[in-house]
Every structure is written in structure tokens, then in C-alpha cells.
């Protein structure tokens, strides 16, 4: 890890939606492991995962699978998951502790994924990632492809929602964040200024802005309030965002990552990409070039879809059911051979 801050694994907030058939030994057990975007708070996705759970319950009535949904916060977005607070000076270096990097998140989520498959592994694991969570999911697949993360881990497919996979700094929002990172004063003090402004505003005023102006529904409103009022959440989000700008650049994965192993029993594609028609975190030309590369790979098992319904990047605020319906179809395709 890039910081001397201690991670409290047992205190990382998580959501779990187990299958009603989780104890049925006659069914194949599938883990649906969801990775959030930035800010990495799992509760933003409660309506999405709740609706997906209902869809998978229906799917279980027609096949021999049991689907378990699991997600958790990214590190640093809960004040309880790390100690001491960021910025604390610790001996012997006498340097202040720092928020977690993108690499820290990848390592931590990989550890969680492996632990969920130990000692009893799932028959199959499907990764779902949103935004930078899609990058993390792809990187976990890549590392497992090069050197198995665990002999027990069976990664089957990844569903990547509004993915930021290459050149995030070229996007409209990426350009703004890159500008902040390029200015010494802004780079050092943006998180302090943002936190100061939030602390100066009474909670009812912040709630009014979020609900009336930003039109956030109850689940997003409560999550955003918790995020803004936490001690370290804003710093973590900005710090990780700047790290994304320097890390998510040229595509670095070999072409065989997108291929299926010869001995894999697989009904659907290995990777599903779901892009917005207009995305402030994904430049159009970057998206189109990525899709073109996948289409030229005749041996690749990938499917790219550009949303025609106008769903925005932050789908989990107002469009959870729409996206869950699409994900449910893709999970049905992936596990299509698990029928009675």
C-alpha cells in the first residue's frame, strides 16, 4: 500500500444480496462481484443491485444456478475503514499519511475477491465494474490471466458499465481534473477548500441543494451527505481521481486478454462493454477507437454496446432499473448453459 495508514478490513462497508438457493448443493454457485466507481460508496448502488437481485431470482427459477451479489466500498471513503485519518504525521518518517491510490484499490479488491472464494470457491465469478470500477475489473482479469491470483478463483466474464479504460484525461471532466493536478496550489489545496466550503454550510442547506437542485433521490441524498460530511471522503475522491488521470492512459492489455481459453465452457462473451452515447468521463474518440480495436480482433469474445436511451455516466442515481435489466440479460447469456 502507498500509505502507512492501517486498513480495517472488517470495517469496510459492504452490501450482499445472497441467493435464496445458496445452500442448494445441486446448483452451480455464481458470484456477481460488483466494483463501484469514484466516489466509491456501495450504497449509491442499492437500487441497482436490489433490482438485479429480483431479476436473478427469476433467472434462478429457470436454470441450475445460484447467483450471489457482493459489493463493498472502495478504501478511504469511510472514516471507519482506516486509521489514523489522512494527513496524520507518523514516525519514523514524520510524513503525513496519504489517501489510497488506484493501485491500492486494485490490491484490496483482489484480496476481497480471493477471500470470498476461500476455502469454498464459486463455480464461476462475474465481475461488474462501473466507471473506474470497470478499469479495476479489467486489471484484475489481466493479472489473473498472467498469473492466477488463486487456484480456486474461476473468473468467467466481466460486464463493464460506462467504462473508463483508456485516456480518461481526454474526457471533459478529465481535462478539468488534470488542470487542477497541474497547478501546484490547486493540486495541494483543492480538497481542503472543498471540505471547508462543505463544513461552512448547514446540513439542511446541503440537503436542499442535493434534493432540489441536483434532484438526488433519497438513497443518493443520504449517501452523498455521508460522503461530504466524512473527514476523509472528499480527499480520497480527489486524490484517487488525480491518480486515475496519470494511470488510465494508453491501453496496456495484450490482445489475448479478450479471448477465451480453449477449455472454457462459456455461453456468452468474455467482456461486455456498455458505453454512454455522451459521457463526460469518456471522450467520444477514445470510446470509438477502443470499440474499433475490439471489432478488429476476430478471436476476441467481446460485445460493445452504446446506450441509445440517454442513460448518463452516473446511472445509479436515476437509471438503476434500466441498467439492471441490461445486466440481467448479459448474465443470462453468460450462464446460458446452466439450464435444466
Amino acid at each position: 500500500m502507498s500509505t502507512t495508514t492501517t486498513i480495517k478490513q472488517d470495517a469496510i462497508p459492504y452490501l450482499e444480496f445472497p441467493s435464496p438457493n445458496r445452500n442448494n448443493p445441486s446448483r452451480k454457485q455464481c458470484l456477481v462481484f460488483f466494483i463501484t466507481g469514484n466516489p466509491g460508496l456501495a450504497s449509491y448502488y442499492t437500487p441497482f443491485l436490489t433490482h438485479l437481485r429480483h431479476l436473478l431470482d427469476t433467472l434462478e427459477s429457470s436454470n441450475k444456478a445460484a447467483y450471489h451479489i457482493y459489493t463493498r466500498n472502495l478504501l478511504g471513503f469511510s472514516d471507519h475503514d482506516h486509521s489514523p485519518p489522512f494527513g496524520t504525521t507518523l514516525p519514523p518518517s514524520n510524513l503525513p499519511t496519504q489517501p489510497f491510490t488506484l493501485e491500492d484499490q486494485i490490491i484490496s479488491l483482489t484480496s476481497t475477491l480471493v477471500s470470498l472464494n476461500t476455502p469454498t470457491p464459486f463455480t464461476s465469478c462475474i465481475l461488474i465494474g462501473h466507471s473506474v470500477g470497470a478499469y479495476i475489473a479489467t486489471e484484475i482479469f489481466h493479472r489473473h490471466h498472467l498469473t492466477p491470483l488463486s487456484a480456486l478463483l474461476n473468473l468467467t466474464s466481466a460486464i463493464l458499465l460506462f467504462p473508463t479504460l483508456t485516456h480518461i484525461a481526454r474526457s471533459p471532466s478529465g481535462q478539468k481534473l488534470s488542470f487542477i493536478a497541474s497547478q501546484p496550489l490547486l493540486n495541494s489545496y483543492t480538497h481542503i477548500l472543498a471540505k471547508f466550503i462543505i463544513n461552512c454550510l448547514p446540513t439542511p442547506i446541503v440537503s436542499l441543494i442535493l434534493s432540489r437542485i441536483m434532484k438526488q433521490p433519497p438513497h443518493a441524498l443520504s449517501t452523498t451527505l455521508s460522503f461530504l460530511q466524512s473527514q476523509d471522503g472528499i480527499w480520497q475522491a480527489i486524490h484517487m481521481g488525480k491518480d486515475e488521470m496519470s494511470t488510465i492512459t494508453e491501453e496496456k492489455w495484450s490482445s489475448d486478454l479478450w479471448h477465451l481459453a480453449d477449455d472454457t465452457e462459456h455461453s456468452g462473451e468474455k467482456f461486455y462493454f456498455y458505453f454512454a452515447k455522451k459521457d463526460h468521463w469518456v471522450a467520444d474518440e477514445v470510446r470509438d477507437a477502443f470499440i474499433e480495436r475490439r471489432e478488429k480482433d476476430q478471436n476476441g469474445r467481446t460485445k460493445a454496446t452504446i446506450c441509445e436511451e440517454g442513460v448518463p455516466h452516473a446511472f445509479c442515481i436515476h437509471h438503476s432499473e434500466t441498467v439492471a435489466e441490461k445486466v440481467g440479460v448479459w448474465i443470462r447469456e453468460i450462464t446460458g448453459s446452466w439450464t435444466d
Side-chain angles (χ1 to χ4, degrees):
M1 293 292 178
S2 63
T3 173
T4 54
T5 301
T6 300
I7 300 172
K8 300 180 178 179
Q9 288 290 149
D10 294 340
I12 301 175
Y14 70 95
L15 296 174
E16 191 168 15
F17 300 81
S19 166
N21 294 295
R22 60 187 178 278
N23 295 320
N24 187 336
S26 68
R27 287 180 173 262
K28 294 184 178 181
Q29 304 293 317
C30 177
L31 174 64
V32 178
F33 188 83
F34 181 80
I35 304 174
T36 75
N38 180 9
L41 293 103
S43 53
Y44 273 125
Y45 301 89
T46 300
F48 166 70
L49 295 175
T50 299
H51 190 63
L52 182 60
R53 174 71 268 161
H54 293 326
L55 295 172
L56 295 182
D57 285 345
T58 301
L59 184 55
E60 287 186 26
S61 67
S62 62
N63 68 12
K64 292 184 177 180
Y67 302 95
H68 309 266
I69 302 173
Y70 180 93
T71 188
R72 42 150 275 206
N73 275 20
L74 299 184
L75 295 176
F77 289 94
S78 167
D79 291 338
H80 303 293
D81 71 9
H82 61 281
S83 178
F86 303 146
T88 303
T89 300
L90 296 176
S93 66
N94 291 324
L95 296 174
T97 57
Q98 296 294 310
F100 299 101
T101 65
L102 181 55
E103 178 64 20
D104 294 334
Q105 306 291 357
I106 295 170
I107 293 172
S108 176
L109 285 162
T110 298
S111 177
T112 298
L113 179 61
V114 170
S115 68
L116 289 172
N117 283 272
T118 307
T120 305
F122 287 89
T123 309
S124 171
C125 296
I126 299 172
L127 303 186
I128 305 177
H130 173 224
S131 190
V132 71
Y135 176 89
I136 294 172
T138 306
E139 187 61 19
I140 290 174
F141 243 105
H142 169 64
R143 297 180 187 193
H144 187 62
H145 174 74
L146 294 178
T147 304
L149 301 171
S150 166
L152 302 177
L153 181 60
N154 181 22
L155 291 182
T156 304
S157 289
I159 298 172
L160 309 179
L161 307 173
F162 308 92
T164 55
L165 299 175
T166 63
H167 296 296
I168 189 173
R170 295 184 187 176
S171 68
S173 291
Q175 292 177 33
K176 296 173 184 176
L177 193 52
S178 296
F179 174 77
I180 291 174
S182 70
Q183 306 300 310
L185 283 176
L186 286 175
N187 187 47
S188 299
Y189 296 107
T190 295
H191 67 281
I192 297 175
L193 177 60
K195 184 61 178 169
F196 173 78
I197 294 172
I198 291 298
N199 288 344
C200 288
L201 295 174
T203 298
I205 298 298
V206 178
S207 297
L208 188 65
I209 293 171
L210 294 173
S211 61
R212 296 291 181 86
I213 298 177
M214 301 183 69
K215 307 294 184 183
Q216 291 199 354
H219 83 281
L221 173 61
S222 61
T223 301
T224 304
L225 278 176
S226 176
F227 163 61
L228 293 177
Q229 295 175 343
S230 66
Q231 180 170 347
D232 287 340
I234 292 175
W235 192 355
Q236 175 61 56
I238 294 174
H239 181 88
M240 182 176 159
K242 291 186 294 186
D243 191 36
E244 293 168 35
M245 298 305 107
S246 60
T247 302
I248 304 177
T249 54
E250 293 286 346
E251 183 177 335
K252 62 182 180 180
W253 305 295
S254 61
S255 61
D256 59 347
L257 172 65
W258 317 112
H259 303 169
L260 288 172
D262 293 338
D263 58 352
T264 300
E265 291 185 10
H266 200 287
S267 298
E269 307 299 344
K270 186 177 182 182
F271 286 89
Y272 292 78
F273 308 102
Y274 188 58
F275 292 97
K277 198 163 189 176
K278 282 292 180 182
D279 193 328
H280 61 97
W281 283 111
V282 180
D284 290 353
E285 66 274 13
V286 171
R287 175 201 64 203
D288 295 343
F290 182 86
I291 293 175
E292 184 179 1
R293 288 194 294 274
R294 301 290 76 77
E295 290 175 344
K296 288 182 177 178
D297 184 359
Q298 296 181 353
N299 296 318
R301 291 293 297 272
T302 64
K303 179 179 181 179
T305 303
I306 296 179
C307 173
E308 297 295 336
E309 291 94 338
V311 178
H313 185 89
F315 76 89
C316 56
I317 306 300
H318 294 290
H319 298 82
S320 292
E321 291 191 4
T322 299
V323 177
E325 294 282 346
K326 295 182 182 299
V327 171
V329 170
W330 293 327
I331 291 177
R332 181 188 292 271
E333 288 182 11
I334 293 166
T335 58
S337 62
W338 298 4
T339 55
D340 290 324

